[in-house]
Amino acid sequence: MNAPAFTKVGLPTQPAVVFLHGVGGGRDGWAAQQAHVAALGWRSLAWDMPGYGDSPMVTPYDFAHLAQALWQMLDAAGIDQAVLVGHSMGAMVALQAWTQKPERIRGLLLAASSPAFGNSDGDFQKQFLAQRLAPLEAGKTMSDIADKLIPTMAAPGGDAAQLIPAHQSMSAVPPATYRAALHALVQFEQRAALPTLNVPVLCLAAEHDRTAPPSVMERMAQKIPGARYACLAGAGHLLHYAQPQAFNAELEKFLKDVKP
């Protein structure tokens, strides 16, 4: 299988930051962050998760195989160690990757995410899937879905123009990939991994995030030895789109903790 597609910035001699997007995202959503870390002297990769953009699908489509695809991409790019920056589902991939090859991870920035999905009895997962997949079953396009979902991920009074790229990314997700990603998402469970993290970790929340509320992220940080918690005021779930400067400021602060 070919490695996932990615956007690369910087030189092979520089330390690496790898950006991992969420269910409705894509590699282009990290452009502001890639430019910022380049100015700080880091190289970076932003991937299209398997099935997104030009990246081939993986089978089965689960977190174990998504993390394996991440390592395949890093091998193809000649990167031995990296700081992983994940948003939402991307942060879950980062946690899964830690359980496979922790020696290759220098730090983790986990943004707007959680260490597990929903309740263990499965009812919540079934309801979530039914709700999210209903528009596709009714013949709606991914653009139609973005029309409904993107506003729910915005902060009250936020600049809608900032989320146009997020809408474009979600509209471009193949429906089959969206289905596969959602089915994988509801199976995610890595709470047991949190106490094992022994690298710098930042759990970055957004004040108005209803998908991954600040309280969830703060509890996650408390279970990770030495982790730091921060919350972007006035931001919603799509925090790196809506507040790129504030996100970059937290990212820059975090990278100072990581860099030797």
Side-chain angles (χ1 to χ4, degrees), residues 129-162:
L129 274 178
Q131 182 183 39
R132 287 296 176 96
L133 293 176
L136 285 181
E137 306 296 350
K140 300 292 186 182
T141 67
M142 287 302 299
S143 181
D144 295 330
I145 292 173
D147 288 342
K148 296 291 185 182
L149 277 184
I150 296 296
T152 71
M153 300 179 188
D159 183 359
Q162 291 275 44

Side-chain angles (χ1 to χ4, degrees), residues 59-78:
T59 304
Y61 203 94
D62 57 26
F63 279 93
H65 286 81
L66 292 174
Q68 288 170 13
L70 170 62
W71 299 126
Q72 188 178 25
M73 179 188 74
L74 295 188
D75 289 343

Side-chain angles (χ1 to χ4, degrees), residues 17-93:
V17 182
V18 176
F19 294 98
L20 310 171
H21 64 79
V23 173
R27 59 179 168 169
D28 292 344
W30 294 109
Q33 284 68 47
Q34 288 197 276
H36 190 72
V37 300
L40 298 174
W42 294 74
R43 63 174 159 159
S44 65
L45 268 65
W47 82 342
D48 278 327
M49 193 158 57
Y52 289 73
D54 296 322
S55 295
M57 284 289 281
V58 293
T59 304
Y61 203 94
D62 57 26
F63 279 93
H65 286 81
L66 292 174
Q68 288 170 13
L70 170 62
W71 299 126
Q72 188 178 25
M73 179 188 74
L74 295 188
D75 289 343
I79 292 175
D80 182 51
Q81 275 193 323
V83 175
L84 304 184
V85 178
H87 172 250
S88 195
M89 187 174 178
M92 295 175 177
V93 173

Side-chain angles (χ1 to χ4, degrees), residues 114-195:
S114 66
F117 190 94
N119 303 313
S120 58
D121 60 12
D123 288 342
F124 177 77
Q125 288 94 325
K126 292 174 185 175
Q127 292 171 5
F128 174 87
L129 274 178
Q131 182 183 39
R132 287 296 176 96
L133 293 176
L136 285 181
E137 306 296 350
K140 300 292 186 182
T141 67
M142 287 302 299
S143 181
D144 295 330
I145 292 173
D147 288 342
K148 296 291 185 182
L149 277 184
I150 296 296
T152 71
M153 300 179 188
D159 183 359
Q162 291 275 44
L163 298 184
I164 291 175
H167 188 288
Q168 292 170 337
S169 289
M170 179 169 272
S171 298
V173 177
T177 299
Y178 186 65
R179 288 176 185 272
L182 289 174
H183 279 281
L185 183 66
V186 298
Q187 300 299 320
F188 183 69
E189 171 58 81
Q190 282 297 345
R191 282 174 285 199
L194 300 183

